[in-house]
Amino acid sequence: MNAWISRRRVDLTVTPASGYLPDQTALQAASDTSLDELAPRPRPRARVRVSDRGAVGGA
């Protein structure tokens, strides 16, 4: 996973293990929940992307 964080935005890019496609909706919900628990002000907007290329053994 790669993460880029700024004052207004959190961009997460997930590179799945080859042959496995994670649930992007579940990943988005988890990142939103984490931000809610951390309660930063102002609250950044999270965006989760799942790479269309897998990595052998995960990355």
Side-chain angles (χ1 to χ4, degrees), residues 6-43:
S6 72
R7 184 172 174 88
R8 296 178 189 253
R9 233 172 60 196
V10 175
D11 286 329
L12 302 171
T13 303
V14 177
T15 303
S18 186
Y20 173 73
L21 185 61
D23 182 359
Q24 185 170 356
T25 303
L27 293 170
Q28 182 70 53
S31 65
D32 289 338
T33 298
S34 291
L35 282 172
D36 289 342
E37 290 172 359
L38 292 170
R41 295 291 179 242
R43 186 189 187 283

